[in-house]
Amino acid sequence: MNLPWAEVSTLEINKFRRTRLEQLLPHSAVAGEVTLLSRRRGGALPAARWERWPFGNSGRSAGYTCSIGGPDGGAAVKASVILALPTAMESTVVACADVLIESPEAWAAALGPGWDTQLGLGEVQAVLLGAWETAAELLPDVGGDPAGLSWAAPPTTELRMTCEQPAGNGVLPGLDTLVGLSQLGVNDGGQRSRMAVTITAGPAMGRSERRRLLREALVHMAREFGDVDAEVDLL
């Protein structure tokens, strides 16, 4: 999320707000959705332990990550959150929540035999909703109370799905190898490893309104990336 407030000189990430964030992250919407990804597959792998990044934390930024490990100790699923207050190089407040399937193989091994790690489209919607809600409602308060701030420009949110790790041939795999996208209909745009859409809207809204906007945005995104028959009722 890009949050271009007009007056941000009073914003600061102090010890009290940082401690509060650390207490709330295990109960955040994005943590709940990461936990449910494993629970739906029979695994008890809660996103409960959040740690500060080893770099990038200051009075102007906060970064935390939660790693769910595989049997070999490496990360299988990872969730991260970032809040960055304006600096000399950046004029807006940036809030981000991200979920990464670091290793489908490690995740499958942690879950136990017989479980498919491909994400359903409904799961992707739930993760995006939880990430958006966390970035919009939890993270901005870490810098202070934004209630009295006015906008210098419209706030925007980018929702995206990306494949970030190349396959054995060095080429990024198609999203449909990791996410079940078939219910959107036949794709006319060829293989794609990234899909994204930007929403212009204020961060504060009810969950039903956020879910409605997310579904409409996903349909727009799908059509732009070749799923020309996508409709809201398919979601």
Side-chain angles (χ1 to χ4, degrees):
M1 295 195 71
N2 289 304
L3 304 167
W5 281 302
E7 178 55 59
V8 293
S9 60
T10 60
L11 298 181
E12 181 185 11
I13 302 172
N14 59 28
K15 181 178 179 180
F16 172 80
R17 298 187 191 112
R18 185 180 291 277
T19 299
R20 180 65 172 161
L21 174 64
E22 292 171 353
Q23 294 170 340
L24 292 176
L25 275 174
H27 311 286
S28 63
V30 71
E33 294 303 335
V34 171
T35 298
L36 283 174
L37 287 178
S38 293
R39 187 174 297 168
R40 293 189 190 99
R41 292 165 173 80
L45 303 172
R49 183 179 178 183
W50 290 76
E51 299 178 326
R52 295 181 189 180
W53 285 13
F55 56 87
N57 279 283
S58 69
R60 308 298 295 171
S61 62
Y64 289 82
T65 188
C66 174
S67 294
I68 295 174
D72 63 355
V77 181
K78 186 180 292 185
S80 303
V81 298
I82 307 165
L83 178 74
L85 300 182
T87 64
M89 301 297 293
E90 176 59 59
S91 61
T92 67
V93 175
V94 177
C96 178
D98 178 73
V99 175
L100 175 66
I101 308 300
E102 185 82 31
S103 170
E105 296 78 16
W107 188 28
L111 292 169
W115 294 102
D116 186 358
T117 58
Q118 186 184 60
L119 299 184
L121 190 55
E123 290 182 309
V124 171
Q125 291 180 73
V127 168
L128 286 172
L129 182 65
W132 185 10
E133 187 175 296
T134 299
E137 299 184 8
L138 178 60
L139 296 183
D141 288 342
V142 181
D145 183 6
L149 301 179
S150 58
W151 298 110
T156 60
T157 299
E158 183 186 60
L159 305 176
R160 64 187 180 197
M161 298 185 287
T162 64
C163 295
E164 299 188 355
Q165 297 182 1
N169 58 3
V171 178
L172 289 173
L175 274 172
D176 54 2
T177 65
L178 303 173
V179 178
L181 299 175
S182 60
Q183 70 191 76
L184 294 175
V186 177
N187 177 263
D188 293 334
Q191 180 171 296
R192 68 279 200 210
S193 58
R194 179 182 185 273
M195 299 172 70
V197 63
T198 298
I199 300 169
T200 302
M205 66 183 74
R207 199 159 214 257
S208 60
E209 174 69 4
R210 197 181 304 281
R211 183 182 291 109
R212 182 189 66 80
L213 278 177
L214 181 140
R215 287 160 64 91
E216 291 178 355
L218 289 183
V219 167
H220 176 79
M221 177 183 73
R223 291 174 179 170
E224 289 297 305
F225 282 84
D227 295 303
V228 294
D229 296 325
E231 297 288 349
V232 169
D233 58 4
L234 297 177
L235 303 180

